[in-house]
Amino acid sequence: MSLETAFPPTPHRRHGSNAGQPLTRRDGVLKVTGRATYAADNHPENMLYAVTAVSRIARGRVMTLDVDAALAHPGVVEVFTPANRPPLAHDPDEKMPPFGFRVEVLQDDRVRYAGQPIALVVAETLEAATEGAALLDPRYEIESVRTGLRNGDRFELEAVGVGSPARTAYGDVESGFEAAFHVIEADYATPAQYHNAMEPHAVVAEWDGDRVTLDMPNQALALSCASYAAFFGIPAENVLIRSPFLGGGFGSKAILNGPQILAILAARALDRPVKLVLTRAQMYGPVGHRGQTWQKLRIGADRDGRLTALHHQALCATSSFDEFMEPAASASLPLYASPAILSEHEGLRLDIGTPGPMRAPGEAPGSAALEVAMDEAAVACGMDPLAFRLANYAETEPGTGRPFSSKALRECYAEGARRFGWAGRPLEPRGMRDENGFLVGWGMGTALFHCPHFPAEARATLRADGTALVETSGADMGQGAWTALAQIAAEALGLDLDQVELHSGISNLPDGGIAGGSSHTASAGLALHNAGEDAIARLAALATTDPASPLFGAGNIGVVARSGRLHRRDDDGRSESYVDILARADLSEVVGTAKAARPADVEEAHAMYSHGAVFAEVKVDPDLCQIRVTRLVGAFAAGRIINPRLVRSQYFGGMIWGISFALQEEAITDRRTGRIMNANLAEYHVPVNADVLSLEAILVPEEDAYVNPLGVKGVGEIGVTGTVGAIANAVWHATGIRVRRFPIRIEDLLAR
Ligand code: MOS
């Protein structure tokens, strides 16, 4: 298997071949047979191993490191500390736009969070590097640590998330509350969560003069090349990133981090290839996480249950030295038709690693609080929660009044409710029990995710044998993007999927953009689609200008590409195969290229979102208060579905993450030391199969003529957004206890 990842043909014919078919992942067999190679599987000759030593304190200074002891260890080649760390061409404390973060690369002896790299030990073996790091025996000057709401430093913000305004006001909420008949007000809290991708962050770096090759999992190849180039003072084209497979990313592999930069620096300084793989524990710090939030929601409604005001405030944790705040309160802006909406964010500095984007950043914690608050407002109005949503969902984007590019939310509510069996749900809590006496509750939530579009480029080569090679540099984090992208390309080229080879996951291919923001299939897919059309247009030009072709005189727009042949549009019987056209032209290939971006005027004229509704059933043991999610039904509308099997799998992943958020996940910090106490997969709880009893995802048909020419919307992040609130609301419906702090625990129900 070459790193360029040429997929062998797979026998998909029985499904048909192209867009819309529920194909299995093209790389599935490679993965389950262990032949897919991940970054850390690479072992260039003469390679060294690097291990970071990390801080055990959360705030203060490193006073001493026993470098001599580490260097005396047989096998240890070098120890990098702030005293001898080679220079970088870019100041690591300067943010690099657009997604730049400050990184810890031994710039000084300051400790800014527990788990921060304080030295890098490089050795002939992993064992020697690990032992060398242990011998450093750091001594610290410890300062008091800021770990939470009570001792963090609050500050005002201009921007939240990746450059969104921290405060947005539509109308006047205070007059909205004065006009309200019912007002609810409540506080919600969401914990720190960590991406915990199965594959740890890793890099194998190999320099050749001023060129470097990096094997690393990476969600944003071109952007990362430019950033590494800036750090190392070389042209971007001198950085080659190979990222054929990712064992999950969830946002954490889209941004640069200190340990990887240090390993690349060590490889250059020592003039040998260097491998660095973070341990699970080391992933709790320098590689981002979902920051903690404390949110307040006020909702006003009139006598008929129509919103008069919606006020969402979020206090969001960030590190002491950088800013990434979950745009949690922004979740209240695009969904419900309140005449007045105010969304506000404030920052809280803690002695933690800087948070970063993590699957549905902002929307996940923000919609969790919003959907519980909407449930509370429905209860205050004496209305069924679904009826309350239907009375208040927005027909056009609140505030801006822009029409949605398309919106099947009403269908999502209807389909989800029908499939779940929502009708007949008692309004009052504690009204249902199962045959074993368990309390049964039903809850729902609205799901929403925006549809960004990143510029992308692609190349499509039709070859003399009638097959095609399509190329774009994007990454497949495991979601099956490469399968969906190949389906799009095959469709554009009028070929069977078996005839289309996709090269991806390496940065010297046309820029496939970012695998993030639930945008990758739409963005890279459109580039591939356009490149395919360009190749077909070039092929058509060859045929229609050649008197020997049955297509002579048809003109470029007069042909249709189907099953490896061009047909006259006005006379289907007159056709010629790609093979014959290329043979007569004496060409070995014809190459189409394309760039794809969303026109700004379309973007300005329409609000673009994927929509959905999630319905949850929980059962609660009345004595032990153990909570089980017994059923989840999600109905989602996300434009045209390229591969229903993979899309459903994305929805399932999001919904399972919703179970995790609602009931399990939380990184717990020791208030005395600022260290995370459960920095491992044994004590950081996520759902296992036994926690997921019944999942259903309904693909609600939707045509969107504006989002992009393919009509494809994102599916990666929306699943978590409705699910968390739905589960919390079901817990209330089962027990009558409103829990506003996530994850909901047994003791939250026992304490009453
Ligand atoms: Mo995602 S948090 O946009 O990788």
Side-chain angles (χ1 to χ4, degrees):
M1 190 64 201
S2 78
L3 277 165
E4 285 75 13
T5 314
F7 287 113
T10 44
H12 286 313
R13 278 182 191 279
R14 77 191 164 88
H15 297 299
S17 59
N18 297 337
Q21 300 300 317
L23 309 181
T24 53
R25 285 169 177 76
R26 292 185 105 192
D27 51 3
V29 172
L30 288 177
K31 286 183 174 172
V32 298
T33 55
R35 285 179 295 147
T37 52
Y38 291 77
D41 292 327
N42 291 288
H43 305 272
E45 258 179 59
N46 205 26
M47 186 185 76
L48 295 167
Y49 294 81
V51 166
T52 54
V54 303
S55 167
R56 291 177 61 78
I57 68 163
R59 188 181 185 198
R61 280 177 194 285
V62 179
M63 303 310 288
T64 63
L65 285 168
D66 195 346
V67 173
D68 291 342
L71 283 172
H73 187 286
V76 170
V77 171
E78 183 58 285
V79 177
F80 294 101
T81 71
N84 68 340
R85 193 267 274 155
L88 287 163
H90 174 83
D91 178 356
D93 280 315
E94 281 291 316
K95 285 158 88 88
M96 204 186 305
F99 296 123
F101 282 75
R102 296 193 173 92
V103 288
E104 299 76 58
V105 284
L106 309 177
Q107 52 264 56
D108 54 36
D109 60 7
R110 286 285 324 162
V111 173
R112 315 197 270 201
Y113 59 89
Q116 176 189 316
I118 55 171
L120 185 81
V121 179
V122 186
E124 297 289 348
T125 64
L126 176 61
E127 291 75 10
T130 305
E131 289 169 22
L135 289 167
L136 287 171
D137 190 24
R139 298 295 147 132
Y140 305 96
E141 181 183 279
I142 301 176
E143 296 169 29
S144 68
V145 61
R146 294 163 290 182
T147 56
L149 190 53
R150 281 186 204 90
N151 59 5
D153 294 323
R154 294 169 84 125
F155 67 104
E156 301 206 346
L157 305 172
E158 290 292 310
V160 72
V162 191
S164 314
R167 182 181 190 279
T168 304
Y170 302 144
D172 176 6
V173 286
E174 290 316 323
S175 14
F177 286 117
E178 277 164 31
F181 186 75
H182 306 282
V183 176
I184 67 109
E185 174 174 338
D187 294 306
Y188 307 85
T190 66
Q193 300 172 345
Y194 282 74
H195 303 80
N196 273 315
M198 286 300 290
E199 177 204 24
H201 294 69
V203 62
V204 178
E206 183 166 16
W207 286 86
D208 178 10
D210 64 351
R211 310 184 75 85
V212 67
T213 300
L214 306 174
D215 291 300
M216 59 156 59
N218 192 299
Q219 293 175 238
L221 294 167
L223 201 61
S224 299
C225 284
S227 304
Y228 286 119
F231 272 107
F232 294 102
I234 56 177
E237 58 269 24
N238 286 15
V239 181
L240 181 70
I241 300 181
R242 298 186 291 201
S243 183
F245 298 101
L246 281 82
F250 316 119
S252 73
K253 290 169 181 168
I255 50 184
L256 268 58
N257 60 67
Q260 284 172 322
I261 293 171
L262 284 173
I264 301 166
L265 195 57
R268 183 160 72 174
L270 301 170
D271 199 22
R272 287 176 67 177
V274 167
K275 177 190 293 194
L276 175 131
V277 183
L278 295 189
T279 64
R280 180 62 53 185
Q282 289 171 347
M283 291 166 71
Y284 289 73
V287 294
H289 69 282
R290 191 196 299 289
Q292 246 177 307
T293 75
W294 296 266
Q295 303 177 53
K296 181 187 284 295
L297 269 135
R298 281 198 294 158
I299 295 179
D302 67 16
R303 279 171 196 272
D304 301 325
R306 287 192 194 279
L307 297 187
T308 61
L310 173 54
H311 185 190
H312 194 160
Q313 292 169 285
L315 175 66
C316 306
T318 190
S319 66
S320 64
F321 57 95
D322 205 348
E323 293 84 36
F324 180 91
M325 275 73 51
E326 286 280 320
S330 304
S332 284
L333 293 173
L335 190 48
Y336 295 116
S338 174
I341 304 177
L342 177 57
S343 150
E344 297 180 292
H345 298 85
E346 208 186 331
L348 185 74
R349 292 212 186 273
L350 301 176
D351 296 307
I352 57 174
T354 306
M358 175 163 147
R359 210 172 188 196
E363 289 89 351
S367 71
L370 172 64
E371 291 304 319
V372 174
M374 284 294 284
D375 206 69
E376 299 192 57
V379 171
C381 295
M383 288 173 73
D384 171 80
L386 176 58
F388 187 66
R389 300 307 195 288
L390 284 167
N392 285 300
Y393 89 100
E395 297 284 357
T396 57
E397 191 181 42
T400 70
R402 291 188 300 177
F404 291 101
S405 58
S406 99
K407 183 177 174 190
L409 180 53
R410 190 174 282 280
E411 290 84 340
C412 294
Y413 284 137
E415 276 297 298
R418 189 186 56 74
R419 184 75 204 176
F420 182 83
W422 183 262
R425 171 188 176 277
L427 267 191
E428 295 300 314
R430 298 185 71 92
M432 297 194 293
R433 296 239 180 190
D434 77 355
E435 64 281 9
N436 298 314
F438 285 73
L439 294 160
V440 179
W442 291 354
M444 57 89 53
T446 308
L448 181 83
F449 200 79
H450 61 124
C451 297
H453 196 105
F454 295 111
E457 302 172 13
R459 183 164 55 224
T461 305
L462 278 170
R463 300 184 287 212
D465 64 357
T467 66
L469 170 67
V470 296
E471 300 164 291
T472 189
S473 72
D476 188 330
M477 292 183 277
Q479 74 274 52
W482 289 352
T483 305
L485 293 176
Q487 289 178 263
I488 291 171
E491 183 109 331
L493 289 163
L495 290 174
D496 193 276
L497 190 67
D498 294 0
Q499 298 169 295
V500 175
E501 197 181 332
L502 174 76
H503 283 194
S504 193
I506 184 161
S507 63
N508 59 3
L509 297 175
D511 178 7
I514 301 167
S518 299
S519 70
H520 190 40
T521 303
S523 302
L526 184 59
L528 285 164
H529 170 85
N530 292 353
E533 292 212 320
D534 186 46
I536 291 296
R538 288 166 193 275
L539 194 68
L542 291 175
T544 57
T545 56
D546 180 352
S549 169
L551 299 170
F552 180 63
N556 282 6
I557 55 162
V559 300
V560 175
R562 195 175 70 241
S563 303
R565 301 181 74 83
L566 298 183
H567 299 254
R568 268 188 81 112
R569 201 181 288 277
D570 57 353
D571 180 359
D572 202 61
R574 290 169 71 183
S575 69
E576 190 170 31
S577 73
Y578 303 171
V579 173
D580 288 346
I581 296 169
L582 285 170
R584 210 178 37 252
D586 199 22
L587 288 174
S588 63
E589 59 183 38
V590 58
V591 181
T593 57
K595 298 186 179 198
R598 182 149 62 204
D601 55 334
V602 178
E603 177 115 19
E604 278 156 25
H606 295 91
M608 301 177 187
Y609 294 91
S610 298
H611 291 94
V614 180
F615 296 81
E617 177 184 86
V618 302
K619 292 188 178 179
V620 181
D621 183 317
D623 302 315
L624 302 177
C625 295
Q626 191 186 38
I627 306 163
R628 303 276 281 157
V629 178
T630 45
R631 273 195 305 142
L632 273 182
V633 175
F636 302 95
R640 181 174 174 217
I641 300 304
I642 298 298
N643 183 321
R645 180 196 298 267
L646 298 176
V647 165
R648 193 168 274 116
S649 141
Q650 284 297 290
Y651 292 149
F652 284 170
M655 291 161 75
I656 293 168
W657 207 321
I659 297 175
S660 197
F661 195 129
L663 300 179
Q664 296 180 309
E665 240 180 291
E666 177 173 20
I668 300 167
T669 300
D670 182 332
R671 296 225 175 106
R672 297 161 302 175
T673 63
R675 284 207 296 266
I676 295 166
M677 296 190 289
N678 56 341
N680 57 72
L681 281 182
E683 294 160 295
Y684 182 94
H685 288 175
V686 295
V688 296
N689 282 342
D691 296 308
V692 186
L693 298 178
S694 166
L695 272 186
E696 203 167 336
I698 301 164
L699 279 46
V700 174
E702 183 186 47
E703 282 179 28
D704 189 322
Y706 300 100
V707 68
N708 53 60
L710 297 174
V712 171
K713 293 180 170 180
V715 298
E717 291 166 274
I718 189 173
V720 68
T721 66
T723 307
V724 184
I727 293 169
N729 295 337
V731 169
W732 172 82
H733 191 238
T735 63
I737 298 168
R738 186 64 75 180
V739 184
R740 302 184 182 88
R741 177 198 156 283
F742 294 100
I744 300 170
R745 297 179 186 281
I746 287 173
E747 54 266 38
D748 293 319
L749 305 182
L750 278 175
R752 312 297 178 96

